[in-house]
Amino acid sequence: MRFAFERLGQTPTVITSPEQLAGFERAILPGVGHASVAMKRLVDNGWQHAINEYQRPLMGICLGMQLLCESTEEGNVQCLGKIPGHVTALDVGQLTSPHMGWNNLTINKEHALTKGLTPDEQVYFVHSFAHTVNNATLVSGEYGQRFSAIVAKDNYAGMQFHPERSAKIGARLLQNFVDWQL
């Protein structure tokens, strides 16, 4: 993720303590792994309070997006509750799980984070759980079922896919986050 922002002319800083968060104009909550383990680390290390108090743009990527939601079936845990909706296992039917690869997007709502996005673009996904489509959904995807690909509420947002691996459109969407004014 760091290199994707550097390609946009940004100088990202990896912060290691929740006290540092308030000193930044925007933040990314990355995520790879199991939701219950990641959520426990956030709570145990004081990140939940820091994220709750943060008033500037904060973007969750992949698991980071899921942790911003109300709850997840992955480990059956309560999450940060910043974005309405629940994360459930993808119902992929006969398709392979996890959903891994390029997929089209459908714009559900126009937003500063969707600027320049067209239905012809594809982004790169790696996930087996997904946020249900609801009022917070800006962009949806489909893999066995419809799911939220980009969500936002107040200063919190999330992308289920990996923008850093999604070529030019991924860079465009990250730039939208850099430009996002509340």
Side-chain angles (χ1 to χ4, degrees):
M1 184 65 68
R2 183 178 125 216
F3 298 120
F5 280 105
E6 287 176 351
R7 287 190 295 271
L8 296 174
Q10 303 297 310
T11 307
T13 301
V14 176
I15 60 175
T16 56
S17 74
E19 296 77 25
Q20 295 174 289
L21 181 60
F24 290 88
E25 290 301 312
R26 60 197 67 248
I28 296 287
L29 177 61
V32 174
H34 195 277
S36 63
V37 173
M39 195 61 215
K40 182 173 178 3
R41 285 187 185 147
L42 287 176
V43 171
D44 289 351
N45 294 314
W47 287 99
Q48 183 175 18
H49 178 71
I51 291 168
N52 284 340
E53 297 298 313
Y54 196 68
Q55 298 296 311
R56 298 180 192 118
L58 188 144
M59 171 78 70
I61 304 292
C62 198
L63 177 60
M65 172 186 144
Q66 295 175 8
L67 295 176
L68 289 172
C69 298
E70 294 175 64
S71 66
T72 179
E73 283 184 358
E74 186 179 25
N76 294 314
V77 295
Q78 292 301 304
C79 295
L80 296 167
K82 305 321 277 172
I83 297 178
H86 303 281
V87 175
T88 60
L90 273 175
D91 182 4
V92 298
Q94 298 297 314
L95 300 171
T96 304
S97 184
H99 172 210
M100 186 180 300
W102 296 90
N103 205 336
N104 291 69
L105 300 173
T106 300
I107 300 169
N108 297 52
K109 291 182 189 175
E110 294 293 330
H111 188 279
L113 294 172
T114 65
K115 183 180 173 188
L117 181 63
T118 68
D120 300 330
E121 327 260 18
Q122 291 191 333
V123 294
Y124 190 78
F125 289 92
V126 179
H127 65 123
S128 51
F129 289 83
H131 178 272
T132 54
V133 174
N134 66 16
N135 287 337
T137 305
L138 303 178
V139 176
S140 59
E142 189 168 331
Y143 188 78
Q145 70 178 66
R146 281 186 65 224
F147 60 87
S148 296
I150 302 176
V151 294
K153 181 167 191 303
D154 303 327
N155 60 306
Y156 300 98
M159 294 182 185
Q160 180 60 63
F161 53 91
H162 289 270
E164 77 280 10
R165 296 175 188 234
S166 297
K168 287 180 183 178
I169 191 56
R172 172 75 239 171
L173 294 170
L174 289 176
Q175 184 65 54
N176 289 349
F177 174 68
V178 169
D179 297 340
W180 186 24
Q181 299 295 315
L182 298 177

